[in-house]
Amino acid sequence: MYRNAVFLPILGFVLSACVSSPVPVASSEPPDPAVTAIRSDDQEPLYLDADQPVSARVEDLLGRMTLDEKIGQMTQVEKNSIQPGDITTYFIGSILSGGGGSPPHNTVEGWTAMVDGFQEEALATRLGIPLVYGVDAIHGHGNLYGATIFPQQIGLGAAGDPDLVRRIGQVTAAEMLATGIPWNFAPIVAVPQDIRWGRTYEAYGEDTDLVAELSAAYVQGLQLLPDTYTAAPGQTLYILATPKHFLGDGGTTFGTSTTDGYLLDQGDMRLSEDAVRRLFLPPYQAALEAGAMSVMPSFSSWNGVKMHAQEYWITNVLKGELIFDGFIISDWAAISQVDFDYYTAVVTSINAGVDMNMVPYDYKGFIEVMKEAVQAGDITEERVDDAVRRILTTKFALGLFDHPFADPDLLPSVGSDEHRRLARQAVRQSLVLLKNEGDVLPIVDGTSLIYVGGQGADDIGIQCGGWTIAWQGSAGAIQPGTTILQGIQDRVSADTQIEYDPAGMFGGMADVGIAVVGEHPYAEGFGDTDDLRLLQGDIDVIDAVRAHSREMVVIILSGRPLIITDQLDTADAWVAAWLPGTEGAGVADVLFGDYPFTGRLPYTWPRSNEQMPLNITNVSGKTGCDAPLFPFGYGLGEGGSQPIVQPDCR
Ligand code: GLC
């Protein structure tokens, strides 16, 4: 199943034994005596003996490592910054692709060549410790062209189906391992309290229990070894999940971000410890109970102190109270935000409990600072050993020492019909019917003329949102799949004529008009906003389609609820479709009644900008025009809510 998987580490071990000495990192230290002893050992070292318990393999390996090799394991570099040969020279333990970090040839073969190439450099080190490669496959292997792209988490929160989420985790894992990538920086287990946050769509919803249940399901789906899979001895993980961002990334106060141009992202959480524990800790408990072995701290702060510097939360609570024995991976250059002085920032974060630094650029600088701090006693060898022990334990749990390369058997599964059918099901289950006056939905078969307006009706990139091919995502035909319009065109019979215009400009009168409006892609703080009203261009499309349609439906593509109050009466029906991913045909499945509407709001839907932040923790007692437009959990359709009679608040 794997190319020479076991042979290479030993080859690396033998090759390095031929080297005169391990290449020191910017130091003239003689090789550690313990190191030379290995070369005379003609027995296979214990850590390479797959029949040994993982704990014994870890301790044997740790005991053989030099300080340089240990620090290398704590170093994660982004793939465009690592210089050829430096993985071997600096014993680098991990490489990542950030958002958009695709190889020149964005194909499974191109990814496999890139990732396996880095891995071979790691296996060529003296001890042959495999590296672990990470990506943000937050709604499918989003950077990979041709991957199955699922609805963003907000849509899965609306679907509220743990089994569906678990199966999505399993499919995502398979498409990642086809490219040799065993680490997913997901799921976000945030519980966003203010939908003006740009990462609202990356989370499942505003309710702690909903987030905890779905987070655990996704972690299980990613990590569970498939029945048909031949695990390596001691392997317990298929893919490494990373619940993030620890903790309370969705609980920051509006306007407190420390990052230029951001409003909430990377801001300050100003809540009591009790409130933080009640709102934001349960999803981590659930994710750890599901077996998660890495956690990523947040860029944000708690009462003015960066989470990456919070020894209390990372070491005392997460590693102590919750008995977390995996490792803490920093966020992207987040350690650098802890203090203006980099030495202080590194010492503070590592001593707070961060085990691996997503540097991700200047790895030599980080390694130098680490060596200096350990030699000065500002970071103890015990802390280094604890970090490396956690990292190695996880690498053994992933079976990396026994199968470090991509699994070519999985290649056909990438973007397969089976996977796309699952994604299309997820789209169907994610749709929330907000209004359906006169039961205009489902659209009757044989309807003779349907007008479709709005750029989002025929744009895969808008359907997918951020973290797709590019970090910020982008409009356009960025991935293969089906648009909402294509789904409608494929669904109707020859008796039905479909006309499409992005601007919604039509003549005559259609039986049904459909306007697709909403947000263009964004990610992280670039999505922070103080104004969630529909854009004027969208309002114009709605009005244009309305003028030429007997019945009218509006479909919203967005990463969160938008302010639609003033437009609500214009259309007979409104559907929240969130960010459905590549399988837009799932929308038509429900529009035409092949499947019922079953989605429920994972976020409170505000009536105006002025109401925010508005969520289940502060909505009680708000009635009439102070009430939300639609409450958390609302949704018409099968087994759903009763239609809301809206008060006149003009
Ligand atoms: C980003 C995000 C984090 C992601 C990491 C690597 O800044 O905050 O969620 O996993 O960098 O892309």
Side-chain angles (χ1 to χ4, degrees):
M1 184 185 257
Y2 298 103
R3 282 185 290 116
N4 305 323
V6 175
F7 174 66
L8 273 169
I10 298 173
L11 173 63
F13 169 68
V14 170
L15 282 177
S16 62
C18 302
V19 172
S20 58
S21 70
V23 179
V25 173
S27 68
S28 54
E29 283 175 21
D32 181 319
V35 171
T36 51
I38 293 176
R39 287 198 291 273
S40 60
D41 177 353
D42 57 6
Q43 299 298 319
E44 178 189 64
L46 186 144
Y47 74 92
L48 288 179
D49 180 352
D51 296 330
Q52 294 296 324
V54 166
S55 56
R57 297 177 79 178
V58 168
E59 293 311 318
D60 176 64
L61 179 51
L62 191 61
R64 296 169 185 269
M65 295 172 74
T66 65
L67 178 60
D68 291 339
E69 289 166 329
K70 292 175 183 176
I71 292 172
Q73 286 302 305
M74 299 171 70
T75 307
Q76 182 182 66
V77 187
E78 70 94 11
K79 62 104 179 170
N80 291 321
S81 298
I82 190 73
Q83 298 306 307
D86 276 2
I87 289 172
T88 307
T89 305
Y90 293 93
F91 314 104
I92 301 299
S94 180
I95 300 288
L96 85 147
S97 282
S102 308
H105 299 289
N106 192 353
T107 61
V108 175
E109 295 78 6
W111 277 89
T112 301
M114 172 178 75
V115 175
D116 283 1
F118 288 135
Q119 187 64 282
E120 281 166 2
E121 277 202 45
L123 296 176
T125 53
R126 179 176 71 89
L127 294 168
I129 301 174
L131 66 78
V132 58
Y133 199 103
V135 292
D136 298 273
I138 67 168
H139 64 142
H141 196 351
N143 288 329
L144 168 64
Y145 183 80
T148 308
I149 306 299
F150 294 93
Q152 296 277 6
Q153 287 189 197
I154 187 171
L156 302 183
D161 179 347
D163 180 59
L164 172 70
V165 169
R166 189 174 297 105
R167 288 162 60 206
I168 288 172
Q170 289 170 319
V171 165
T172 302
E175 297 199 8
M176 288 174 63
L177 283 173
T179 59
I181 299 174
W183 187 5
N184 190 356
F185 306 126
I188 270 199
V189 302
V191 188
Q193 300 297 292
D194 187 333
I195 60 171
R196 293 172 292 185
W197 185 37
R199 305 197 78 161
T200 298
Y201 70 80
E202 291 186 62
Y204 292 113
E206 69 185 28
D207 176 73
T208 301
D209 294 340
L210 172 70
V211 171
E213 181 182 33
L214 298 183
S215 300
Y218 188 72
V219 168
Q220 287 166 350
L222 279 180
Q223 301 202 151
L224 280 176
L225 300 167
D227 298 339
T228 55
Y229 179 71
T230 307
Q235 181 179 358
T236 55
L237 302 179
Y238 195 48
I239 284 275
L240 175 61
T242 305
K244 67 184 185 181
H245 308 79
F246 187 78
L247 88 161
D249 46 346
T252 59
T253 300
F254 186 86
T256 62
S257 180
T258 54
T259 303
D260 289 348
Y262 289 3
L263 295 167
L264 283 153
D265 196 36
Q266 307 189 16
D268 193 23
M269 178 173 55
R270 295 172 177 172
L271 294 168
S272 69
E273 178 174 343
D274 285 350
V276 173
R277 282 177 175 270
R278 177 169 37 80
L279 278 173
F280 306 122
L281 202 53
Y284 286 93
Q285 290 167 297
L288 298 191
E289 282 162 19
M293 287 190 71
S294 84
V295 171
M296 184 184 295
S298 176
F299 279 116
S300 57
S301 304
W302 181 50
N303 297 329
V305 176
K306 283 283 181 182
M307 287 310 298
H308 278 74
Q310 292 272 3
E311 182 175 0
Y312 172 70
W313 286 108
I314 295 175
T315 296
N316 298 17
V317 175
L318 186 61
K319 293 181 174 180
E321 264 182 61
L322 301 191
I323 317 175
F324 175 59
D325 55 10
F327 71 92
I328 302 291
I329 172 68
S330 82
D331 202 336
W332 184 281
I335 285 180
S336 307
Q337 290 187 5
V338 166
D339 194 285
F340 291 110
D341 173 65
Y342 189 59
Y343 183 93
T344 304
V346 169
V347 169
T348 304
S349 302
I350 300 300
N351 287 340
V354 175
D355 300 305
M356 183 186 285
N357 181 11
M358 184 188 291
V359 182
Y361 306 116
D362 182 10
Y363 50 98
K364 296 176 189 174
F366 170 65
I367 291 167
E368 281 298 315
V369 162
M370 278 295 294
K371 287 195 70 168
E372 186 185 336
V374 172
Q375 284 157 0
D378 293 331
I379 295 176
T380 65
E381 284 258 16
E382 290 70 28
R383 176 72 272 272
V384 169
D385 285 352
D386 171 54
V388 176
R389 181 175 290 113
R390 291 168 179 269
I391 293 166
L392 294 177
T393 299
T394 305
K395 288 186 174 182
F396 279 112
L398 279 167
L400 281 175
F401 284 79
D402 302 278
H403 49 69
F405 294 109
D407 180 354
D409 293 351
L410 292 171
L411 192 152
S413 74
V414 177
S416 67
D417 291 346
E418 179 194 355
H419 289 181
R420 291 183 189 277
R421 278 194 296 274
L422 179 65
R424 182 167 174 168
Q425 174 193 335
V427 172
R428 292 195 293 263
Q429 291 184 230
S430 70
L431 303 179
V432 180
L433 183 58
L434 300 172
K435 177 184 176 185
N436 192 21
E437 209 142 289
D439 292 336
V440 298
L441 290 178
I443 299 172
V444 176
D445 279 335
T447 296
S448 55
L449 178 58
I450 298 176
Y451 286 160
V452 180
Q455 179 189 355
D458 197 30
D459 192 303
I460 289 261
I462 291 176
Q463 280 174 207
C464 289
W467 298 100
T468 317
I469 300 298
W471 175 39
Q472 294 292 313
S474 68
I478 62 168
Q479 282 277 16
T482 53
T483 65
I484 292 171
L485 174 66
Q486 287 164 339
I488 294 169
Q489 290 167 331
D490 295 344
R491 171 60 181 69
V492 300
S493 70
D495 299 337
T496 301
Q497 183 185 343
I498 306 288
E499 287 187 27
Y500 171 62
D501 179 75
M505 303 308 285
F506 299 100
M509 187 59 74
D511 300 295
V512 178
I514 300 171
V516 181
V517 299
E519 295 185 304
H520 277 228
Y522 54 81
E524 303 193 40
F526 290 98
D528 287 358
T529 183
D530 62 357
D531 187 359
L532 285 174
R533 290 172 301 170
L534 285 178
L535 296 173
Q536 188 55 48
D538 280 341
I539 295 170
D540 294 344
V541 169
I542 291 171
D543 292 343
V545 173
R546 172 76 275 183
H548 294 276
S549 308
R550 291 189 185 84
E551 297 177 342
M552 183 173 177
V553 180
V554 175
I555 297 171
I556 306 168
L557 292 177
S558 64
R560 53 203 157 186
L562 299 178
I563 305 300
I564 60 172
T565 312
D566 293 346
Q567 289 74 42
L568 195 61
D569 292 342
T570 306
D572 306 292
W574 287 76
V575 176
W578 316 113
L579 298 169
T582 51
E583 308 313 305
V587 176
D589 291 342
V590 182
L591 285 185
F592 288 88
D594 300 337
Y595 293 85
F597 281 97
T598 55
R600 302 288 176 259
L601 288 183
Y603 290 99
T604 300
W605 196 294
R607 195 179 292 276
S608 68
N609 284 322
E610 292 66 35
Q611 284 184 316
M612 284 181 275
L614 186 65
N615 55 58
I616 48 179
T617 68
N618 63 18
V619 74
S620 61
K622 289 180 170 31
T623 58
C625 296
D626 292 333
L629 194 65
F630 302 107
F632 170 83
Y634 178 84
L636 302 177
E638 190 173 83
S641 315
Q642 290 306 308
I644 289 181
V645 178
Q646 298 291 349
D648 183 348
C649 302
R650 278 167 291 195

